[in-house]
Amino acid sequence: MRHTDNTAATLLMVGSMAAFAVEDLFLKRAAMALPPGQVIAMMGAGGALVFWLLAALKRQRILTAPALRGAALVRSLSEAGATMLYITALALIPLSVNSALLQASPLVVTMGAALFLGEPVGWRRWTAIATGFAGVLIVLQPWNDSFQAAGILTVLCVVMLAARDLSTRAMPADIGTFQLVTWAYLALVPAGLVLMVLAGDRVTAIDPTRWFDLAMALISGLFGYYAVTAATRLGEAAVIAPFRYTRLVFALILAMLFLGEQPGPAMLIGAALIIGSGLYTFARERIRARAARVTG
């Protein structure tokens, strides 16, 4: 029987969200000075190397046919597409806005599970999803003269992340975790190169400051992945999932301290609606799961 420690899992989840916020900060700094495609390709190569070595230590093979077809292929392509969109958006719009929009991901996953996997979603959760999308519109403010169209890239990124998560649910059991993540990072290399071609960018020389940004983004991202994986294995999903929203809190603090951003009322109201609707969705899912156990 699996050992459960919700306290430790919660601390790991919060730590992972802090690490991902730090990763976003350094990725934004790098993407503002270098072509986003170059940043994506370099992060993909670095992450793939680390996880390939970890997979070798775990005796998990990387070059297998199942990892290149079906749900596994969809997951890798979705990961690559989401990263292309997100890092491009990071270079163009405030970190706080990006992070707020990213919080809509669980709502899109719930909607996708209902539409494509046939999972039951009642009117309460559909209302929560609609409320969350209203929050997205408030953050974007498409009716305002200050509307930043690049925010749509993050919205599209959220859709791609939902496709990644839904394809993960359909993943064959014989594909190991490190194998899966290695391929996700490997997919970023051609994705970054394609983005450079589409944008007409050339490889840019990297000064020591940018090397530091890239290294810190890679290290914090790897730690975040380890911590969130450990949290998922150690704690109950219904308990730790809401703590994913702490990522926005950390991102807001970092954006104000290091980037001089000052989130306005509309952004804060929209983020509150997105997070509130997400928390309600988690709560309803927990109630539904408890009822299913009782009736079962």
Side-chain angles (χ1 to χ4, degrees):
M1 184 176 181
R2 191 188 73 170
H3 172 66
T4 299
D5 186 340
N6 286 328
T7 300
T10 297
L11 292 174
L12 284 167
M13 178 62 76
V14 173
S16 71
M17 294 302 105
F20 286 136
V22 171
E23 179 189 28
D24 285 347
L25 171 64
F26 285 106
L27 282 177
K28 181 172 180 61
R29 283 165 52 97
M32 290 174 66
L34 300 169
Q38 183 176 341
V39 174
I40 293 169
M42 295 184 68
M43 292 297 295
L49 176 61
V50 171
F51 280 107
W52 200 312
L53 292 174
L54 291 173
L57 292 175
K58 293 284 187 179
R59 299 186 181 278
Q60 290 185 10
R61 294 176 58 198
I62 299 300
L63 303 177
T64 62
L68 295 174
R69 63 175 181 242
L73 179 60
V74 172
R75 187 190 190 282
S76 295
L77 294 176
S78 300
E79 185 83 60
T83 304
M84 288 174 62
L85 293 164
Y86 188 66
I87 293 184
T88 301
L90 270 178
L92 298 174
I93 62 177
L95 173 61
S96 55
V97 173
N98 255 317
S99 297
L101 294 173
L102 198 64
Q103 306 312 306
S105 182
L107 298 173
V108 179
V109 171
T110 300
M111 182 175 69
L115 295 177
F116 302 109
L117 299 182
E119 294 188 8
V121 174
W123 68 268
R124 293 180 180 85
R125 283 197 287 169
W126 278 116
T127 302
I129 291 171
T131 302
F133 287 157
V136 168
L137 287 175
I138 292 173
V139 171
L140 287 175
Q141 298 185 73
W143 54 81
N144 198 310
D145 292 338
S146 60
F147 168 60
Q148 294 174 300
I152 296 175
L153 295 176
T154 309
V155 176
L156 295 175
C157 165
V158 168
V159 175
M160 298 295 286
L161 289 175
R164 179 202 65 185
D165 291 346
L166 291 172
S167 61
T168 301
R169 296 187 184 186
M171 201 70 60
D174 59 344
I175 297 181
T177 300
F178 287 119
Q179 181 187 33
L180 191 64
V181 179
T182 300
W183 275 109
Y185 270 103
L186 283 172
L188 300 185
V189 178
L193 297 177
V194 168
L195 181 60
M196 290 186 70
V197 172
L198 294 175
D201 292 327
R202 296 182 178 181
V203 175
T204 301
I206 306 175
D207 62 43
T209 302
R210 300 289 82 81
W211 276 116
F212 175 77
D213 290 339
L214 291 168
M216 289 301 297
L218 181 60
I219 292 170
S220 55
L222 291 174
F223 174 79
Y225 170 79
Y226 168 80
V228 75
T229 302
T232 303
R233 290 177 173 176
L234 193 59
E236 298 175 73
V239 173
I240 64 174
F243 289 94
R244 289 180 178 272
Y245 289 113
T246 58
R247 180 173 181 169
L248 178 57
V249 177
F250 292 119
L252 288 174
I253 294 172
L254 293 174
M256 290 188 287
L257 289 178
F258 296 101
L259 300 175
E261 295 182 13
Q262 296 294 328
M267 204 287 289
L268 295 175
I269 292 171
L273 285 175
I274 295 170
I275 292 176
S277 57
L279 290 174
Y280 179 79
T281 299
F282 283 131
R284 290 299 307 174
E285 176 62 25
R286 192 174 184 180
I287 293 172
R288 189 183 69 83
R290 187 184 300 120
R293 287 196 298 268
V294 171
T295 56

